Amino acid sequence: HGQASPDICTRLAQLYVERGEAQKAESILQRGLKNSPSNSQLLEALADLYTASGHFDEVVTTLEKGYSANRDSIGLTVKLA
């Protein structure tokens, strides 16, 4: 299978969220993270998805994982604060 870019994964996840299919959005982002585990764009999108669905433990875990791999990511730093 070909690997989709983080941009494509993020946009596709946004479309699923807009359609009310949060589980499919999460699945897309998780697949993207399997290929790019420290990608801050994917991690931020996943954290946003968890925030919107009220899964705050997952938000913290996702942001901490992202921050440890991307200490220079302003987006992850702000969300973690």
Side-chain angles (χ1 to χ4, degrees), residues 22-78:
Q23 287 183 320
K24 287 185 180 180
E26 180 184 4
S27 177
I28 291 293
L29 293 170
Q30 292 286 6
R31 274 191 275 172
L33 285 166
K34 283 184 182 177
N35 296 322
S36 302
S38 62
N39 183 279
S40 61
Q41 179 182 2
L42 293 170
L43 289 162
E44 283 185 58
L46 187 58
D48 288 344
L49 179 65
Y50 288 147
T51 299
S53 59
H55 294 106
F56 300 112
D57 289 342
E58 287 91 343
V59 173
V60 173
T61 301
T62 301
L63 291 175
E64 286 176 343
K65 177 181 174 185
Y67 181 72
S68 69
N70 301 286
R71 293 194 186 275
D72 59 342
S73 171
I74 293 171
L76 289 170
T77 303
V78 169

